[in-house]
């Protein structure tokens, strides 16, 4: 049996912003690699959580905007905001569940897979394992 190496799976999703029940107004195609967004995704996720705790609306909208740009890109983020008439609050309330349901699990699975590969391929002592949360 041959040694097998697989490429990292990409996150491929479509987000439809609906005007009426059966007719999508805006269709946004997402095709990103978890490897490219994992570090910044976690950073923006922590910024959103911190802004929620403090109750800072400006910091929350800035963090949500950074997350939208990370996941969707600048052009698609503008289209999303245009659909919601420039309201970051409406966009965030409606689009964040999509990100947490579809994008978040893929990024978390990527991070777990990388940690497991590190543990299996590198001899780590007890202190190093604790630092990595293993």
């Amino acid at each position: 049996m041959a040694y097998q190496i697989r490429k990292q799976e990409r996150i491929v999703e479509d987000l439809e912003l609906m005007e009426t029940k059966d007719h999508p107004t805006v269709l946004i195609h997402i095709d990103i690699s978890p490897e490219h967004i994992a570090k910044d995704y976690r950073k923006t996720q922590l910024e959103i959580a911190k802004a929620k705790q403090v109750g800072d609306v400006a910091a929350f909208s800035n963090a949500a905007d950074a997350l939208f740009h990370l996941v969707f890109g600048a052009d698609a983020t503008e289209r999303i905001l245009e659909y919601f008439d420039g309201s970051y609050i409406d966009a965030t309330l409606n689009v964040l569940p999509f990100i947490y349901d579809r994008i978040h699990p893929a990024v978390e699975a990527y991070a777990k897979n990388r940690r497991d590969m590190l543990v299996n391929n590198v001899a780590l002592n007890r202190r190093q394992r604790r630092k990595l949360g293993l």
Side-chain angles (χ1 to χ4, degrees):
M1 179 162 184
Y3 187 81
Q4 297 177 353
I5 299 174
R6 288 184 222 116
K7 288 176 31 175
Q8 178 65 39
E9 291 185 23
R10 299 180 64 80
I11 302 170
V12 179
E13 291 286 340
D14 286 324
L15 175 64
E16 295 178 346
L17 303 175
M18 308 294 282
E19 188 65 39
T20 61
K21 187 176 182 179
D22 298 327
H23 181 53
T25 302
V26 179
L27 176 65
I28 297 173
H29 181 71
I30 302 163
D31 186 1
I32 52 179
S33 170
E35 179 180 10
H36 292 118
I37 68 166
K39 182 178 178 182
D40 292 332
Y41 178 83
R42 182 67 181 148
K43 179 181 164 188
T44 56
Q45 192 180 30
L46 291 173
E47 289 173 4
I48 287 173
K50 183 178 178 183
K52 278 183 182 179
Q53 281 183 333
V54 175
D56 187 358
V57 176
F60 180 80
S61 65
N62 288 339
D65 185 49
L67 183 62
F68 285 6
H69 276 82
L70 181 65
V71 172
F72 301 115
D75 182 48
T77 299
E78 290 301 318
R79 290 176 31 215
I80 290 169
L81 289 174
E82 187 177 299
Y83 175 81
F84 288 106
D85 299 323
S87 173
Y88 275 98
I89 293 173
D90 286 342
T92 303
L93 291 175
N94 288 291
V95 177
L96 223 52
F98 166 78
I99 292 173
Y100 287 144
D101 289 345
R102 301 295 177 110
I103 307 299
H104 180 76
V107 173
E108 289 295 318
Y110 166 78
K112 183 182 182 318
N113 185 22
R114 287 296 175 188
R115 276 193 307 269
D116 292 346
M117 287 177 72
L118 180 67
V119 168
N120 291 336
N121 294 326
V122 178
L124 300 173
N125 63 33
R126 187 174 184 179
R127 181 180 294 155
Q128 291 168 329
R129 285 179 184 264
R130 282 188 189 160
K131 189 173 183 179
L132 291 173
L134 304 173

